[in-house]
Amino acid sequence: MNGKTIGVIGAGAWGTAMAQSLSSGGHDVELWALEADVVHDINTQHENKRYLKNIPLSPRLRAVSDIKEAASNKDFLILSSPSLYLARTVAQIVDIPSIVNGSTCIGVLTKGLIPTDTGPKLILDVLETVLPFAYRKNLVYISGPSHAEEVAAGKLTGLIAASENPKNSIRFRELMKVPGLMVFSSLDVVGVQICAAAKNVIAVIFGCLDAIAEQSNMFGDNTEALLLAAGLNEIQTLGFALGATHAETFTSIAGVGDLEVTCRSTYGRNRRFGRDIIQKNILDSFKNLDDCIERIGEIGYLPEGAVACKYIQEISRKLSIKLPICSGLYRILNKEIKPLDFLIELLR
């Protein structure tokens, strides 16, 4: 594929890493950032010092502060804003002519769920109500074990591009044939989205377990493997309850692959959050889960699992499905149970 014009909406670590990977592969990329210092640093020093420190960025990667500029007249547009802000961010670009007519192919990196008046919804379900009708069943969801630091550094990473429109999945697969990325197509947009959202919840509990294991002899590698397996079962249960279509999604890089790296890697923000709950008593600053979500910016990084666990709790209650680990994190963040007491209860 010849060099394409690409807009990336959201200059956090993952959005910046994807922009870097694509620009290094020969594409012209404009990256929208909300923060003026991020735009300045990327354009003058070729580094995102706020969100992706010490990673040199390609000179052909250009940052902009005007979201319409980043989204207009692009062959491809990639959405990477956090789930909490995604819908309102996308609402700012729906009147752009190349979006109105559907000529720009849109992919989504954001992981999580989005609240609506009728309950939490999957990312693509919400975006299809915000974007013009041309994008119904045409969006592409991109996920997999992909820590931003490694993607930006060019370390080989596998991703899944899932869409109900197989042609669009293939278009993104071809677009991302750049050094360091290996992309596979999928039709299971529900399963891939659930894996991306729910694995962050499991990773927070894993972080709690990891930190407690350093302080006592109660838990070890065997216990962590037990938790990972149980977590994967919960992700699959939730996925099928919501309409996942392929069992192999959960044993692919979108499922077990992303779960494993999110739980075990030192780059993982959700694992870090779990460790901080134990080691830094970070929850002492918040009254309950809602207070934590409302003031989540005070944490200093964004643990998506804290937000996702609230929405997964709502879904599991509505569908009457049992998800002990996800429910357990909800109880921990809501200050209904201590992490150690929950883990003992869960693993007995």
Side-chain angles (χ1 to χ4, degrees):
M1 177 179 284
N2 296 326
K4 299 296 181 179
T5 57
I6 304 168
V8 178
I9 305 301
W14 187 202
T16 302
M18 179 58 73
Q20 162 64 12
S21 183
L22 292 172
S23 60
S24 296
H27 301 293
D28 293 315
V29 183
E30 287 187 332
L31 173 63
W32 173 75
L34 181 65
E35 305 88 349
D37 62 293
V38 174
V39 174
H40 177 270
D41 289 345
I42 290 174
N43 289 338
T44 62
Q45 302 182 47
H46 306 298
E47 181 183 350
N48 187 339
K49 294 183 178 181
R50 183 189 284 251
Y51 297 116
L52 197 62
K53 294 180 180 179
N54 302 318
I55 300 289
L57 302 177
S58 168
R60 67 189 301 166
L61 168 57
R62 176 173 173 264
V64 298
S65 56
D66 183 343
I67 191 170
K68 291 183 182 294
E69 180 181 357
S72 294
N73 300 314
K74 298 297 189 294
D75 297 316
F76 292 86
L77 185 65
I78 296 174
L79 307 177
S80 186
S81 296
S83 60
L84 280 171
Y85 319 113
L86 182 62
R88 72 186 78 162
T89 300
V90 172
Q92 299 177 59
I93 64 172
V94 295
D95 60 346
I96 293 172
S98 55
I99 302 295
V100 172
N101 64 26
S103 61
T104 297
C105 192
I106 297 181
V108 185
L109 301 179
T110 303
K111 298 180 179 181
L113 297 155
I114 298 177
T116 72
D117 293 339
T118 57
K121 302 292 184 182
L122 295 173
I123 297 283
L124 296 196
D125 289 344
V126 173
L127 290 182
E128 285 186 352
T129 68
V130 177
L131 287 163
F133 184 79
Y135 290 98
R136 300 287 171 90
K137 301 186 183 301
N138 285 315
L139 295 170
V140 180
Y141 192 78
I142 302 160
S143 188
S146 48
H147 282 304
E149 294 82 358
E150 294 192 357
V151 172
K155 296 184 179 180
L156 183 60
T157 298
L159 296 171
I160 298 285
S163 180
E164 292 185 70
N165 182 336
K167 291 183 179 179
N168 282 351
S169 173
I170 293 170
R171 288 180 70 188
F172 263 97
R173 188 184 71 194
E174 294 299 308
L175 176 75
M176 294 188 290
K177 277 188 176 179
V178 296
L181 291 183
M182 178 183 296
V183 184
F184 305 89
S185 294
S186 172
L187 297 174
D188 189 4
V189 292
V190 172
V192 174
Q193 288 180 88
I194 288 298
C195 287
K199 56 94 180 184
N200 287 328
V201 177
I202 307 303
V204 177
I205 293 293
F206 188 95
C208 292
L209 175 67
D210 190 48
I212 292 172
E214 293 178 357
Q215 302 173 0
S216 74
N217 294 320
M218 294 180 64
F219 308 128
D221 291 348
N222 295 343
T223 324
E224 291 184 347
L226 176 61
L227 179 63
L228 280 175
L232 183 62
N233 282 339
E234 288 195 17
I235 294 171
Q236 183 169 267
T237 297
L238 179 62
F240 282 134
L242 289 175
T245 56
H246 292 67
E248 57 266 31
T249 296
F250 303 96
T251 55
S252 73
I253 54 174
V256 66
D258 204 4
L259 175 64
E260 196 277 339
V261 79
T262 304
C263 287
R264 292 197 182 277
S265 175
T266 56
Y267 293 127
R269 294 188 301 270
N270 293 284
R271 176 180 181 268
R272 175 184 174 185
F273 183 57
R275 290 178 59 84
D276 285 348
I277 289 173
I278 303 302
Q279 296 178 331
K280 298 182 179 180
N281 299 311
I282 199 169
L283 295 184
D284 290 352
S285 301
F286 306 106
K287 293 181 292 185
N288 51 34
L289 176 55
D290 286 338
D291 186 42
C292 178
I293 293 173
E294 185 175 338
R295 298 162 50 209
I296 203 163
E298 297 176 19
I299 294 174
Y301 54 92
L302 183 59
E304 288 272 14
V307 183
C309 85
K310 175 182 179 178
Y311 302 143
I312 290 175
Q313 181 77 349
E314 291 182 34
I315 293 170
S316 64
R317 285 174 174 171
K318 182 178 181 180
L319 299 179
S320 298
I321 55 177
K322 293 183 178 181
L323 305 172
I325 300 173
C326 296
S327 176
L329 180 60
Y330 177 87
R331 292 162 61 200
I332 290 169
L333 299 185
N334 220 28
K335 298 197 169 181
E336 298 172 15
I337 191 171
K338 298 290 186 182
L340 178 58
D341 294 337
F342 166 68
L343 286 166
I344 292 173
E345 173 189 293
L346 174 72
L347 298 171
R348 271 183 173 168

